[in-house]
Amino acid sequence: MTTFVDRVELHVAAGNGGHGCASVHREKFKPLGGPDGGNGGRGGDVTLVVDQAVTTLLEYHHSPHRKATNGQPGAGDNRSGKDGQDLVLTVPDGTVVLDKQGNVLADLVGQGTTFVAGQGGRGGLGNAALSSARRKAPGFALLGEPGESRDIVLELKTVADVALVGYPSAGKSSLISVLSAAKPKIADYPFTTLVPNLGVVTAGSTVYTIADVPGLIPGASQGRGLGLEFLRHVERCSVLVHVLDTATLESDRDPVTDLDIIEEELRQYGGLEDRPRIVVLNKVDIPDGQDLADMIRPDLEERGYQVFEVSAVARLGLKELSFALAGIVAEARAAKPQEEATRIVIRPKAVDDAGFTVTYDEAEEVYRVRGEKPERWVRQTDFNNDEAVGYLADRLNRLGVEDQLMKAGARAGDGVAIGSLENAVVFDWEPSMMAGAEMLGRRGEDHRLEAPRPAAQRRRDRDAERDDPQREFDEFDPF
């Protein structure tokens, strides 16, 4: 059974906001008690939090669908709905969050680092919060906003100081088992290591982590073997250690050629050119291995590599290797820029920033309005309530949408779409010459919606012409 998973696709859904309540206070001898509808509760967020006690994404491999709870609707007597509970998902240190297109959304490194993967929806306002001097008894409430839903990809990149790379059966697992307390699987056949192993090494006053990456073969950067699955685990390492087998039984292999092949795979993978390299000649306890190490060591040192001869079985040369790695790791840590405390950045809105845009869509023959506030207001409007629709029109007018429509050339009766092309709300625009409060009739009604809708009629006529089979026959009838 799989015990290590370093890449999963996660489907997250934040909680929906609760609807506001439209209610009128009722009490004996108080027939006009006024509005007392409460607000809806906020939907719960979906948050990713780094926990260093977590080492794998296995939990999300088995259950990839996660949803936060919804906010509760408001109630009468000014009772607000309960907020939805946030869903906190723990991930390993070094988890990268990507979208479906492969764009990086967050790089989670460090204990307690958080990322909001799904934002909960806002709760709708009740009619008590919507009342004003001109609208004393609103007959409507705002709907709760839907929570954010999306698919994300989680990739784990091991956070280690040293990475052991090399051919299968080169002795990497044996080396990490004697340098640290890690207990990886060790056997005399290739691809014994199927998942990265981590170990903690103490050399003097320096403590560092070392990672054993599954064996690489030619073509690993293009997906052969296990290389493409686990090459990303060496991206965060400060130093790369080439473990070369000096006692290989394969006649067509030698340590220098193995080094060149692994270096070529690392070059094709990219991003590792600046990492210092150390070469470890393993299995020198075998006579033929020591002889081969003596032959190739001058060539490797001439290339600029620092070479160590070790034996994981006989425990030869381990102390020198451990302290040399500790020195390189300490230098890399000292060269890193010091992390600054998180600062709060305030970005005031520009004076000429209206918060929305108005463009003309020639294909659909509508004026399209895009912006955070107009689209959110549309999502929170109950279009079955005429008064709520009139309130939306008043809000858009106060925001300046009508002024921008006039500047864009819109006329009365033209179609206006608010939102994206997939889920826009389209209506016929009628310029408002006066505020909506003075135009209201009975509660829940707005007589502005009783006017004819020429733009909607034109769209219906155009759709009917497209769907009329007789029209196609008349156009293509040769007689």
Side-chain angles (χ1 to χ4, degrees), residues 33-56:
D36 66 349
N39 303 332
R42 178 188 61 85
D45 299 335
V46 179
T47 306
L48 305 179
V49 180
V50 173
D51 185 356
Q52 292 183 345
V54 180
T55 59
T56 178

Side-chain angles (χ1 to χ4, degrees), residues 351-363:
V351 176
D352 58 347
D353 185 9
F356 64 92
T357 59
V358 177
T359 57
Y360 182 67
D361 189 344
E362 296 183 358

Side-chain angles (χ1 to χ4, degrees), residues 23 25 35-39 74-80 127-129:
S23 172
H25 182 70
D36 66 349
N39 303 332
D77 200 16
N78 293 304
R79 290 174 293 175
S80 297
N127 64 343

